[in-house]
Amino acid sequence: MAKVSVYNMEGNQVGEIELDDSVFGVKVNEHLVHMAVVNQLANKRQGTQSAKTRAEVRGGGKKPWRQKGTGHARQGSTRAPQWTGGGVVFAPKPRDYSFKMNRKEKAGALKSVLTSRVLENKLIVLDELKFDEIKTKKMQNVLNNLKVNKALVVLSEKNENVILSARNIPNVRTALTNTINVYDILKYNTMIVTKDAVKKIEEVYA
């Protein structure tokens, strides 16, 4: 089992924690990770874009000039794609971009990115993260103590003081253990996790 240092909010090491290899020590599957990112981005797409084909553009019913003898190339309609105001050749139409990944694939992708964070020393475990008031400055001080500027902060349970304290800090996002995803973990340079959150993640994915 991999051992990771545990820090307090002042940035001092206060111990170590052993990580479950079945979650934080798997073989990284880059294909699954890529598929999970594409899946998440595709599922976010509205798919409402639309343009008109030559059949849908108003007008253009009359042949602009006779077929032969004008010196021009033959034309059948002023709404053909090569004309200004004409239709689009392969016009985009509303469609659903989403696709499904099965549960094992999703879990495999998440374990892969969690493992990569451990291997790259980008996983920081905190003994606890609690504030007695909503104060952005306090959250910023914790990040400064840990020498982090772009982070995903994972909590074991909802803590309004922490969530609201981090909300206005650029490049910082909070998440609960049941809402973490591959895209967010890769998007932020560092993953800050509380000890309780680590246990919950291991319980769900081990």
Side-chain angles (χ1 to χ4, degrees), residues 46 73 82 94 154 157:
Q46 287 184 312
Q82 72 270 21
V154 182
E157 56 189 25

Side-chain angles (χ1 to χ4, degrees), residues 3-17 124-127 145-146 195:
K3 280 189 177 181
V4 175
S5 299
V6 177
Y7 298 89
N8 59 18
M9 291 195 295
E10 286 71 46
N12 301 319
Q13 185 176 341
V14 293
E16 288 186 333
I17 185 173
I124 297 175
V125 181
L126 286 180
D127 58 345
N145 293 337
L146 297 170
K195 278 177 72 175

Side-chain angles (χ1 to χ4, degrees), residues 54 59-70 72-79 83:
R54 62 181 294 171
K62 182 185 177 185
K63 190 172 172 66
W65 51 73
R66 59 195 176 91
Q67 180 83 342
K68 304 174 78 68
T70 63
H72 294 297
R74 54 194 172 187
Q75 301 291 329
S77 168
T78 55
R79 297 297 180 263
W83 284 73

Side-chain angles (χ1 to χ4, degrees), residues 155-200:
L155 308 171
S156 60
E157 56 189 25
K158 195 169 185 179
N159 186 322
E160 289 289 344
N161 287 354
V162 174
I163 293 170
L164 295 177
S165 295
R167 186 171 61 176
N168 284 338
I169 303 176
N171 298 324
V172 173
R173 180 184 175 90
T174 55
L176 300 177
T177 51
N178 61 344
T179 63
I180 56 173
N181 58 74
V182 173
Y183 179 74
D184 281 345
I185 294 172
L186 290 175
K187 182 179 178 181
Y188 295 91
N189 294 340
T190 309
M191 187 175 175
I192 299 172
V193 195
T194 62
K195 278 177 72 175
D196 292 341
V198 170
K199 289 175 184 174
K200 272 198 173 182

Side-chain angles (χ1 to χ4, degrees), residues 23-24 110-118 180 185 191 201:
V23 179
F24 294 94
L110 191 64
K111 289 178 184 180
S112 290
V113 289
L114 290 173
T115 299
S116 70
R117 282 289 169 258
V118 175
I180 56 173
I185 294 172
M191 187 175 175
I201 291 171

Side-chain angles (χ1 to χ4, degrees), residues 110-145:
L110 191 64
K111 289 178 184 180
S112 290
V113 289
L114 290 173
T115 299
S116 70
R117 282 289 169 258
V118 175
L119 294 175
E120 294 165 8
N121 294 319
K122 292 182 179 178
L123 182 81
I124 297 175
V125 181
L126 286 180
D127 58 345
E128 64 173 4
L129 185 57
K130 290 180 181 176
F131 300 138
D132 52 6
E133 60 178 336
I134 299 168
K135 201 76 174 173
T136 303
K137 193 173 183 180
K138 286 190 175 183
M139 187 67 199
Q140 187 61 61
N141 287 338
V142 172
L143 296 172
N144 292 341
N145 293 337

